[in-house]
């Protein structure tokens, strides 16, 4: 496939928009494999980290599947769901959400600790990009679940454990659904706001950036426990 050179605006967002447009137009078909990150970066004339961020964001909303060692593949996707938060398929039961939080506390608390020890500059760039997207979330429009998923998947990547990365990839679709529901519930709670939710992610980012493994572990546990508590009260 061929791409025109993109301008430097919010690079990862532009890359994502161009690929999404190709999927919408049918230039990329469900099941089709995208070019490698290196080749996409060369074709777009952007950094590899920008391409990875774009693909991670697309994976978070179910547009693509990233298979370790195989590549990135286009999914069958109804674009009308992207801006329709009340689609039934996005709803997941409270019991399922709470069960997932049990698993997330086992996996992601340790992942945050490892990420603080192993993160690279590219990992920090991906985390900061997702964090910036989260900052722009709004109760009236995009409540930030895609950026939330991208942030947590980036932590798994920063942890540097391939088995954990694969497990988080497999959970990504369920994570997307639960994060939409948990954010929706969070917004309707009188004590919680998007700003506080953002701040918890920011604290986690700062701990990972500083290489403070214990602080990162505690920040992740506190964040997951707070969201879980909001779900229990709902």
């Amino acid at each position: 496939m061929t791409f025109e050179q993109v301008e430097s605006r919010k690079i990862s967002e532009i890359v994502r928009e161009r690929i999404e447009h190709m999927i919408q137009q049918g230039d990329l078909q469900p099941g089709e494999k995208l070019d490698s990150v290196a080749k996409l970066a060369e074709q777009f004339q952007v950094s590899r980290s920008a391409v990875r961020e774009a693909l991670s964001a697309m994976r978070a909303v179910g547009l693509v599947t990233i298979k370790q060692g195989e590549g990135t593949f286009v999914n069958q996707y109804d674009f009308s769901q992207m801006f329709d938060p009340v689609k039934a398929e996005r709803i997941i039961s409270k019991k399922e959400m709470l069960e997932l939080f049990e698993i997330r506390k086992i996996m992601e608390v340790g992942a945050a600790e490892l990420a603080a020890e192993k993160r690279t500059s590219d990992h920090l760039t991906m985390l900061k990009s997702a964090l910036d997207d989260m900052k722009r979330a709004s109760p009236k429009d995009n409540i930030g679940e895609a950026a939330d998923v991208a942030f947590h998947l980036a932590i798994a990547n920063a942890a540097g454990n391939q088995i954990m990365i694969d497990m988080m990839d497999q959970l990504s679709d369920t994570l997307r659904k639960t994060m939409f529901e948990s954010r929706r519930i969070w917004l309707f709670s009188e004590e919680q706001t998007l700003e506080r939710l953002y701040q918890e992610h920011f604290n986690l980012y700062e701990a990972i950036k500083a290489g403070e493994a214990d602080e990162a572990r505690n920040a992740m546990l506190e964040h997951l426990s707070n969201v879980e508590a909001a779900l229990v009260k709902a």
Side-chain angles (χ1 to χ4, degrees), residues 84-102:
D84 188 353
V86 297
K87 286 289 184 180
E89 70 93 18
R90 300 188 72 176
I91 305 302
I92 189 168
S93 73
K94 186 173 181 178
K95 178 176 182 294
E96 289 173 316
M97 285 192 285
L98 293 175
E99 287 179 347
L100 181 62
F101 269 94
E102 291 178 352

Side-chain angles (χ1 to χ4, degrees), residues 40 43 57 82 104 151 166 183:
L40 288 172
Q43 291 169 330
M82 185 174 293
R104 290 184 65 189
F151 185 86
D166 290 342
R183 278 176 169 265

Side-chain angles (χ1 to χ4, degrees), residues 16 20 53 55-63 77-92 97 100-101 104 108 126-127 129-154 168 171-187 194 197-198 201 223 227 231:
R16 174 183 173 178
E20 286 180 358
E53 290 171 34
L55 296 179
S56 179
M58 291 171 66
R59 174 181 59 184
V61 296
L63 270 173
Y77 193 82
D78 180 1
F79 277 84
S80 66
Q81 296 174 8
M82 185 174 293
F83 304 105
D84 188 353
V86 297
K87 286 289 184 180
E89 70 93 18
R90 300 188 72 176
I91 305 302
I92 189 168
M97 285 192 285
L100 181 62
F101 269 94
R104 290 184 65 189
E108 294 192 69
M126 292 177 69
L127 286 167
S129 177
L131 195 63
D132 289 344
D133 288 343
M134 220 178 293
K135 182 69 172 177
R136 292 190 287 270
S138 166
K140 297 179 181 179
D141 187 10
N142 164 33
I143 61 174
E145 78 275 14
D148 204 333
V149 176
F151 185 86
H152 286 267
L153 291 177
M168 288 293 288
L171 286 172
S172 61
D173 184 59
T174 303
L175 284 174
R176 176 174 60 87
K177 295 175 184 177
T178 58
M179 286 182 180
F180 172 79
E181 282 302 294
S182 61
R183 278 176 169 265
R184 181 184 64 81
I185 291 170
W186 190 284
L187 289 176
L194 274 180
L197 191 55
Y198 167 82
H201 286 87
H223 165 59
V227 180
L231 292 175

Side-chain angles (χ1 to χ4, degrees), residues 151-233:
F151 185 86
H152 286 267
L153 291 177
I155 289 177
N157 276 276
N161 184 299
Q162 191 58 55
I163 294 176
M164 183 182 294
I165 293 170
D166 290 342
M167 292 176 69
M168 288 293 288
D169 281 343
Q170 292 173 12
L171 286 172
S172 61
D173 184 59
T174 303
L175 284 174
R176 176 174 60 87
K177 295 175 184 177
T178 58
M179 286 182 180
F180 172 79
E181 282 302 294
S182 61
R183 278 176 169 265
R184 181 184 64 81
I185 291 170
W186 190 284
L187 289 176
F188 282 102
S189 171
E190 294 182 2
E191 300 177 359
Q192 317 295 350
T193 65
L194 274 180
E195 178 58 34
R196 177 177 168 183
L197 191 55
Y198 167 82
Q199 188 62 47
E200 290 186 2
H201 286 87
F202 179 80
N203 293 342
L204 182 52
Y205 167 77
E206 287 291 299
I208 291 173
K209 180 181 177 181
E212 297 290 345
D214 287 343
E215 288 187 20
R217 181 183 182 88
N218 292 336
M220 178 65 86
L221 180 58
E222 179 182 6
H223 165 59
L224 293 177
S225 297
N226 287 342
V227 180
E228 183 182 33
L231 292 175
V232 170
K233 292 179 182 178

